[in-house]
Amino acid sequence: MRPDLDTTLTQKNIRPTAMRLLVLDYLLNQTAAVSLNNLETYFMRSDRITLYRTLKTFEEKGLVHSIDDGSGSVKYALCPDDCSTEEHHDLHVHFFCNQCRETFCLPKSHIPEIALPENFKTEEVNLMVKGICSKCTR
Amino acid sequence: MRPDLDTTLTQKNIRPTAMRLLVLDYLLNQTAAVSLNNLETYFMRSDRITLYRTLKTFEEKGLVHSIDDGSGSVKYALCPDDCSTEEHHDLHVHFFCNQCRETFCLPKSHIPEIALPENFKTEEVNLMVKGICSKCTR
DNA sequence: GGATAACCTGCAACTGCATTGCATATTACC
DNA sequence: GGTAATATGCAATGCAGTTGCAGGTTATCC
Ligand SMILES: [Mn+2]
Ligand SMILES: [Mn+2]
Ligand SMILES: [Zn+2]
Ligand SMILES: [Zn+2]
């Protein structure tokens, strides 16, 4: 079903090194967006900087997108398939749970058109909703 | 017309010191949101930390609100009159100009209701639009 | 398969912004 | 004016992000 990790990387022009395959595998198994610190904690044996550059490479090549949720550290999550180096299609809402402090992509919640004053031109929209997530609600 | 600086502060339970009056006056004359660095540059003679704590106090007391525009440094802008220590009424859009790199409050652009998946509860919404502002358009 | 070039990784160091502690100065209040 | 509460200035620290460089690994060409 799911294409193998190696091809996922090469399709995005990312050389499939051992580290990158491990990070991709990790990302595929997350339900929430991850921070560099998350990776660092999980991959204790490896270098912080390499993980940092791995995320940066993934982002550049359109494999992940970054989310500034206001928590102080940037989060990363896998992109929908149609993202590329040239253009990120990330017009969905991001949600930060005030209780578990996890950040989620809500790809089904689309960002509405925003009416701006005259002569303001939109190039990018960032919509961050904060509240209580479904896991923490019950 | 505009109430004097001293009263503006005391009405919000902020002791009107010399520094605070100067900062308030400065804020009143801005069209864009200001960063700590902006203040530091403008008030060269005074201490960075004092300016920092001035902004923090203003924020706590509901005189200004902070804006995380993703630029790396937090911006501050005067609140509408009905903000208080207990509650900030800041449900407007913020705009970051990719050209002049200034951040504006757009109080007339209201944030629409966002449809979330089941069991997600909204407590706060942050809407950051990036693009080209009216000054930079022409 | 071996040589070369391109790329990746690990360590160290550095930046910028935010934040705190503490001693001194200023202000409010009796 | 005297005392307590608060504000200020200076120093130091934390933390996330970022860069330089040397050495290791991978791809590629012959
Ligand atoms: Mn997302
Ligand atoms: Mn605002
Ligand atoms: Zn939660
Ligand atoms: Zn502009």
mmCIF file of all heavy atoms in Angstrom, chain B residues 8-42:
data_model
loop_
_atom_site.group_PDB
_atom_site.id
_atom_site.type_symbol
_atom_site.label_atom_id
_atom_site.label_comp_id
_atom_site.label_asym_id
_atom_site.label_seq_id
_atom_site.Cartn_x
_atom_site.Cartn_y
_atom_site.Cartn_z
ATOM 1 N N THR B 8 -4.705 57.717 30.627
ATOM 2 C CA THR B 8 -4.761 56.449 29.899
ATOM 3 C C THR B 8 -4.083 55.350 30.716
ATOM 4 O O THR B 8 -4.604 54.235 30.841
ATOM 5 C CB THR B 8 -4.057 56.569 28.532
ATOM 6 O OG1 THR B 8 -4.631 57.653 27.819
ATOM 7 C CG2 THR B 8 -4.209 55.285 27.726
ATOM 8 N N LEU B 9 -2.947 55.684 31.298
ATOM 9 C CA LEU B 9 -2.230 54.685 32.089
ATOM 10 C C LEU B 9 -2.948 54.365 33.392
ATOM 11 O O LEU B 9 -3.185 53.193 33.710
ATOM 12 C CB LEU B 9 -0.797 55.161 32.370
ATOM 13 C CG LEU B 9 0.144 55.197 31.165
ATOM 14 C CD1 LEU B 9 1.530 55.636 31.581
ATOM 15 C CD2 LEU B 9 0.202 53.849 30.474
ATOM 16 N N THR B 10 -3.310 55.400 34.124
ATOM 17 C CA THR B 10 -3.928 55.157 35.428
ATOM 18 C C THR B 10 -5.256 54.413 35.294
ATOM 19 O O THR B 10 -5.582 53.575 36.126
ATOM 20 C CB THR B 10 -4.132 56.468 36.210
ATOM 21 O OG1 THR B 10 -4.725 57.429 35.340
ATOM 22 C CG2 THR B 10 -2.808 57.017 36.708
ATOM 23 N N GLN B 11 -5.969 54.678 34.213
ATOM 24 C CA GLN B 11 -7.227 53.950 33.988
ATOM 25 C C GLN B 11 -7.000 52.454 33.838
ATOM 26 O O GLN B 11 -7.885 51.643 34.108
ATOM 27 C CB GLN B 11 -7.908 54.462 32.713
ATOM 28 C CG GLN B 11 -8.817 55.642 32.963
ATOM 29 C CD GLN B 11 -9.382 56.186 31.656
ATOM 30 O OE1 GLN B 11 -9.115 55.639 30.586
ATOM 31 N NE2 GLN B 11 -10.137 57.271 31.742
ATOM 32 N N LYS B 12 -5.813 52.093 33.408
ATOM 33 C CA LYS B 12 -5.496 50.678 33.241
ATOM 34 C C LYS B 12 -4.687 50.140 34.429
ATOM 35 O O LYS B 12 -4.097 49.056 34.355
ATOM 36 C CB LYS B 12 -4.683 50.467 31.954
ATOM 37 C CG LYS B 12 -5.415 50.837 30.690
ATOM 38 C CD LYS B 12 -6.204 49.669 30.137
ATOM 39 C CE LYS B 12 -6.869 50.073 28.827
ATOM 40 N NZ LYS B 12 -7.682 48.980 28.271
ATOM 41 N N ASN B 13 -4.621 50.944 35.489
ATOM 42 C CA ASN B 13 -3.859 50.529 36.670
ATOM 43 C C ASN B 13 -2.369 50.388 36.421
ATOM 44 O O ASN B 13 -1.734 49.453 36.903
ATOM 45 C CB ASN B 13 -4.397 49.198 37.204
ATOM 46 C CG ASN B 13 -5.511 49.422 38.194
ATOM 47 O OD1 ASN B 13 -5.363 50.190 39.152
ATOM 48 N ND2 ASN B 13 -6.636 48.768 37.953
ATOM 49 N N ILE B 14 -1.862 51.326 35.628
ATOM 50 C CA ILE B 14 -0.431 51.344 35.373
ATOM 51 C C ILE B 14 0.122 52.644 35.929
ATOM 52 O O ILE B 14 -0.365 53.725 35.577
ATOM 53 C CB ILE B 14 -0.142 51.272 33.859
ATOM 54 C CG1 ILE B 14 -0.791 50.016 33.252
ATOM 55 C CG2 ILE B 14 1.355 51.274 33.604
ATOM 56 C CD1 ILE B 14 -0.791 50.020 31.732
ATOM 57 N N ARG B 15 1.106 52.537 36.807
ATOM 58 C CA ARG B 15 1.670 53.759 37.368
ATOM 59 C C ARG B 15 2.390 54.530 36.278
ATOM 60 O O ARG B 15 3.241 53.997 35.579
ATOM 61 C CB ARG B 15 2.634 53.423 38.509
ATOM 62 C CG ARG B 15 1.942 52.644 39.605
ATOM 63 C CD ARG B 15 2.392 52.968 41.025
ATOM 64 N NE ARG B 15 3.808 53.069 41.241
ATOM 65 C CZ ARG B 15 4.392 52.757 42.412
ATOM 66 N NH1 ARG B 15 3.659 52.278 43.418
ATOM 67 N NH2 ARG B 15 5.680 52.914 42.570
ATOM 68 N N PRO B 16 2.011 55.810 36.139
ATOM 69 C CA PRO B 16 2.541 56.609 35.024
ATOM 70 C C PRO B 16 3.944 57.137 35.279
ATOM 71 O O PRO B 16 4.114 58.294 35.636
ATOM 72 C CB PRO B 16 1.539 57.757 34.908
ATOM 73 C CG PRO B 16 0.963 57.891 36.284
ATOM 74 C CD PRO B 16 1.022 56.542 36.923
ATOM 75 N N THR B 17 4.938 56.322 35.066
ATOM 76 C CA THR B 17 6.313 56.803 35.203
ATOM 77 C C THR B 17 6.741 57.503 33.921
ATOM 78 O O THR B 17 6.077 57.398 32.893
ATOM 79 C CB THR B 17 7.276 55.631 35.454
ATOM 80 O OG1 THR B 17 7.304 54.800 34.289
ATOM 81 C CG2 THR B 17 6.832 54.802 36.629
ATOM 82 N N ALA B 18 7.867 58.184 34.017
ATOM 83 C CA ALA B 18 8.370 58.944 32.870
ATOM 84 C C ALA B 18 8.540 58.045 31.649
ATOM 85 O O ALA B 18 8.047 58.347 30.546
ATOM 86 C CB ALA B 18 9.694 59.602 33.229
ATOM 87 N N MET B 19 9.207 56.938 31.861
ATOM 88 C CA MET B 19 9.474 55.999 30.771
ATOM 89 C C MET B 19 8.182 55.503 30.124
ATOM 90 O O MET B 19 8.060 55.462 28.905
ATOM 91 C CB MET B 19 10.248 54.806 31.350
ATOM 92 C CG MET B 19 10.822 53.872 30.310
ATOM 93 S SD MET B 19 12.241 54.622 29.492
ATOM 94 C CE MET B 19 11.591 54.946 27.874
ATOM 95 N N ARG B 20 7.236 55.136 30.964
ATOM 96 C CA ARG B 20 5.983 54.588 30.450
ATOM 97 C C ARG B 20 5.215 55.619 29.637
ATOM 98 O O ARG B 20 4.606 55.280 28.608
ATOM 99 C CB ARG B 20 5.142 54.080 31.617
ATOM 100 C CG ARG B 20 5.712 52.811 32.224
ATOM 101 C CD ARG B 20 5.070 52.438 33.526
ATOM 102 N NE ARG B 20 5.594 51.179 34.040
ATOM 103 C CZ ARG B 20 5.244 50.653 35.202
ATOM 104 N NH1 ARG B 20 4.374 51.264 35.985
ATOM 105 N NH2 ARG B 20 5.773 49.507 35.595
ATOM 106 N N LEU B 21 5.241 56.863 30.086
ATOM 107 C CA LEU B 21 4.556 57.902 29.324
ATOM 108 C C LEU B 21 5.209 58.081 27.956
ATOM 109 O O LEU B 21 4.516 58.219 26.940
ATOM 110 C CB LEU B 21 4.573 59.224 30.110
ATOM 111 C CG LEU B 21 3.692 59.213 31.366
ATOM 112 C CD1 LEU B 21 4.003 60.392 32.268
ATOM 113 C CD2 LEU B 21 2.218 59.214 30.964
ATOM 114 N N LEU B 22 6.539 58.028 27.944
ATOM 115 C CA LEU B 22 7.229 58.166 26.670
ATOM 116 C C LEU B 22 6.901 57.014 25.727
ATOM 117 O O LEU B 22 6.649 57.212 24.540
ATOM 118 C CB LEU B 22 8.751 58.217 26.904
ATOM 119 C CG LEU B 22 9.285 59.500 27.531
ATOM 120 C CD1 LEU B 22 10.735 59.347 27.933
ATOM 121 C CD2 LEU B 22 9.112 60.664 26.558
ATOM 122 N N VAL B 23 6.889 55.808 26.280
ATOM 123 C CA VAL B 23 6.596 54.646 25.430
ATOM 124 C C VAL B 23 5.165 54.714 24.906
ATOM 125 O O VAL B 23 4.913 54.469 23.727
ATOM 126 C CB VAL B 23 6.834 53.338 26.200
ATOM 127 C CG1 VAL B 23 6.358 52.134 25.397
ATOM 128 C CG2 VAL B 23 8.318 53.180 26.531
ATOM 129 N N LEU B 24 4.230 55.089 25.784
ATOM 130 C CA LEU B 24 2.836 55.202 25.342
ATOM 131 C C LEU B 24 2.706 56.226 24.230
ATOM 132 O O LEU B 24 2.052 55.990 23.208
ATOM 133 C CB LEU B 24 1.939 55.581 26.517
ATOM 134 C CG LEU B 24 0.480 55.868 26.149
ATOM 135 C CD1 LEU B 24 -0.160 54.677 25.440
ATOM 136 C CD2 LEU B 24 -0.331 56.238 27.394
ATOM 137 N N ASP B 25 3.363 57.357 24.423
ATOM 138 C CA ASP B 25 3.312 58.394 23.400
ATOM 139 C C ASP B 25 3.849 57.873 22.076
ATOM 140 O O ASP B 25 3.270 58.097 21.013
ATOM 141 C CB ASP B 25 4.132 59.607 23.871
ATOM 142 C CG ASP B 25 3.979 60.776 22.919
ATOM 143 O OD1 ASP B 25 2.825 61.128 22.600
ATOM 144 O OD2 ASP B 25 5.011 61.335 22.485
ATOM 145 N N TYR B 26 4.942 57.157 22.171
ATOM 146 C CA TYR B 26 5.527 56.572 20.959
ATOM 147 C C TYR B 26 4.542 55.625 20.279
ATOM 148 O O TYR B 26 4.324 55.691 19.070
ATOM 149 C CB TYR B 26 6.818 55.848 21.325
ATOM 150 C CG TYR B 26 7.484 55.122 20.180
ATOM 151 C CD1 TYR B 26 8.220 55.819 19.232
ATOM 152 C CD2 TYR B 26 7.376 53.736 20.052
ATOM 153 C CE1 TYR B 26 8.839 55.155 18.181
ATOM 154 C CE2 TYR B 26 7.975 53.071 19.001
ATOM 155 C CZ TYR B 26 8.709 53.786 18.064
ATOM 156 O OH TYR B 26 9.305 53.128 17.028
ATOM 157 N N LEU B 27 3.940 54.747 21.088
ATOM 158 C CA LEU B 27 2.995 53.776 20.527
ATOM 159 C C LEU B 27 1.827 54.466 19.831
ATOM 160 O O LEU B 27 1.364 54.029 18.771
ATOM 161 C CB LEU B 27 2.474 52.854 21.628
ATOM 162 C CG LEU B 27 3.466 51.836 22.187
ATOM 163 C CD1 LEU B 27 2.871 51.103 23.380
ATOM 164 C CD2 LEU B 27 3.879 50.837 21.105
ATOM 165 N N LEU B 28 1.351 55.551 20.446
ATOM 166 C CA LEU B 28 0.207 56.253 19.876
ATOM 167 C C LEU B 28 0.520 56.853 18.499
ATOM 168 O O LEU B 28 -0.380 57.100 17.703
ATOM 169 C CB LEU B 28 -0.254 57.373 20.818
ATOM 170 C CG LEU B 28 -1.080 56.918 22.028
ATOM 171 C CD1 LEU B 28 -1.165 58.026 23.068
ATOM 172 C CD2 LEU B 28 -2.469 56.486 21.583
ATOM 173 N N ASN B 29 1.797 57.067 18.246
ATOM 174 C CA ASN B 29 2.159 57.681 16.974
ATOM 175 C C ASN B 29 2.567 56.693 15.888
ATOM 176 O O ASN B 29 3.043 57.089 14.830
ATOM 177 C CB ASN B 29 3.290 58.689 17.207
ATOM 178 C CG ASN B 29 2.767 59.946 17.873
ATOM 179 O OD1 ASN B 29 1.930 60.642 17.317
ATOM 180 N ND2 ASN B 29 3.223 60.210 19.086
ATOM 181 N N GLN B 30 2.416 55.403 16.178
ATOM 182 C CA GLN B 30 2.790 54.401 15.182
ATOM 183 C C GLN B 30 1.587 53.948 14.377
ATOM 184 O O GLN B 30 0.484 53.848 14.905
ATOM 185 C CB GLN B 30 3.398 53.170 15.878
ATOM 186 C CG GLN B 30 4.596 53.484 16.734
ATOM 187 C CD GLN B 30 5.649 54.261 15.986
ATOM 188 O OE1 GLN B 30 6.074 53.838 14.901
ATOM 189 N NE2 GLN B 30 6.049 55.405 16.510
ATOM 190 N N THR B 31 1.851 53.631 13.113
ATOM 191 C CA THR B 31 0.790 53.014 12.321
ATOM 192 C C THR B 31 0.981 51.501 12.278
ATOM 193 O O THR B 31 0.045 50.753 12.056
ATOM 194 C CB THR B 31 0.791 53.553 10.879
ATOM 195 O OG1 THR B 31 2.096 53.353 10.334
ATOM 196 C CG2 THR B 31 0.453 55.032 10.854
ATOM 197 N N ALA B 32 2.207 51.067 12.505
ATOM 198 C CA ALA B 32 2.494 49.630 12.501
ATOM 199 C C ALA B 32 2.817 49.157 13.906
ATOM 200 O O ALA B 32 3.137 49.953 14.792
ATOM 201 C CB ALA B 32 3.659 49.330 11.567
ATOM 202 N N ALA B 33 2.723 47.855 14.123
ATOM 203 C CA ALA B 33 3.091 47.290 15.414
ATOM 204 C C ALA B 33 4.599 47.407 15.623
ATOM 205 O O ALA B 33 5.358 47.423 14.657
ATOM 206 C CB ALA B 33 2.665 45.820 15.470
ATOM 207 N N VAL B 34 5.013 47.509 16.873
ATOM 208 C CA VAL B 34 6.433 47.733 17.157
ATOM 209 C C VAL B 34 7.045 46.561 17.921
ATOM 210 O O VAL B 34 6.382 45.900 18.710
ATOM 211 C CB VAL B 34 6.651 49.027 17.976
ATOM 212 C CG1 VAL B 34 6.038 50.209 17.284
ATOM 213 C CG2 VAL B 34 6.100 48.872 19.373
ATOM 214 N N SER B 35 8.314 46.358 17.666
ATOM 215 C CA SER B 35 9.056 45.321 18.379
ATOM 216 C C SER B 35 9.882 45.956 19.484
ATOM 217 O O SER B 35 10.062 47.170 19.531
ATOM 218 C CB SER B 35 9.986 44.596 17.423
ATOM 219 O OG SER B 35 11.008 45.479 16.992
ATOM 220 N N LEU B 36 10.402 45.114 20.359
ATOM 221 C CA LEU B 36 11.298 45.622 21.397
ATOM 222 C C LEU B 36 12.493 46.320 20.772
ATOM 223 O O LEU B 36 12.926 47.371 21.241
ATOM 224 C CB LEU B 36 11.759 44.459 22.286
ATOM 225 C CG LEU B 36 12.759 44.818 23.374
ATOM 226 C CD1 LEU B 36 12.228 45.906 24.286
ATOM 227 C CD2 LEU B 36 13.132 43.582 24.176
ATOM 228 N N ASN B 37 12.988 45.764 19.683
ATOM 229 C CA ASN B 37 14.119 46.397 19.000
ATOM 230 C C ASN B 37 13.787 47.785 18.474
ATOM 231 O O ASN B 37 14.624 48.675 18.528
ATOM 232 C CB ASN B 37 14.589 45.512 17.844
ATOM 233 C CG ASN B 37 15.639 44.539 18.304
ATOM 234 O OD1 ASN B 37 16.381 44.814 19.247
ATOM 235 N ND2 ASN B 37 15.705 43.400 17.649
ATOM 236 N N ASN B 38 12.571 47.953 17.964
ATOM 237 C CA ASN B 38 12.152 49.280 17.522
ATOM 238 C C ASN B 38 12.276 50.275 18.668
ATOM 239 O O ASN B 38 12.847 51.350 18.509
ATOM 240 C CB ASN B 38 10.695 49.257 17.050
ATOM 241 C CG ASN B 38 10.492 48.438 15.798
ATOM 242 O OD1 ASN B 38 9.446 47.849 15.605
ATOM 243 N ND2 ASN B 38 11.512 48.375 14.942
ATOM 244 N N LEU B 39 11.730 49.887 19.816
ATOM 245 C CA LEU B 39 11.777 50.766 20.983
ATOM 246 C C LEU B 39 13.222 51.063 21.370
ATOM 247 O O LEU B 39 13.590 52.198 21.646
ATOM 248 C CB LEU B 39 11.079 50.108 22.171
ATOM 249 C CG LEU B 39 9.559 50.142 22.202
ATOM 250 C CD1 LEU B 39 9.062 49.577 23.515
ATOM 251 C CD2 LEU B 39 9.049 51.564 22.026
ATOM 252 N N GLU B 40 14.014 50.020 21.373
ATOM 253 C CA GLU B 40 15.410 50.165 21.774
ATOM 254 C C GLU B 40 16.133 51.157 20.867
ATOM 255 O O GLU B 40 16.926 51.979 21.329
ATOM 256 C CB GLU B 40 16.066 48.788 21.657
ATOM 257 C CG GLU B 40 17.212 48.584 22.602
ATOM 258 C CD GLU B 40 17.840 47.225 22.376
ATOM 259 O OE1 GLU B 40 17.152 46.316 21.855
ATOM 260 O OE2 GLU B 40 19.024 47.079 22.697
ATOM 261 N N THR B 41 15.858 51.072 19.575
ATOM 262 C CA THR B 41 16.496 51.979 18.627
ATOM 263 C C THR B 41 16.031 53.412 18.852
ATOM 264 O O THR B 41 16.822 54.343 18.827
ATOM 265 C CB THR B 41 16.140 51.564 17.182
ATOM 266 O OG1 THR B 41 16.443 50.188 17.031
ATOM 267 C CG2 THR B 41 16.914 52.379 16.182
ATOM 268 N N TYR B 42 14.734 53.539 19.113
ATOM 269 C CA TYR B 42 14.183 54.884 19.273
ATOM 270 C C TYR B 42 14.634 55.523 20.588
ATOM 271 O O TYR B 42 15.040 56.680 20.621
ATOM 272 C CB TYR B 42 12.658 54.829 19.200
ATOM 273 C CG TYR B 42 12.008 56.182 19.229
ATOM 274 C CD1 TYR B 42 12.003 56.996 18.091
ATOM 275 C CD2 TYR B 42 11.415 56.670 20.395
ATOM 276 C CE1 TYR B 42 11.423 58.240 18.115
ATOM 277 C CE2 TYR B 42 10.829 57.923 20.419
ATOM 278 C CZ TYR B 42 10.842 58.708 19.274
ATOM 279 O OH TYR B 42 10.262 59.946 19.310
#
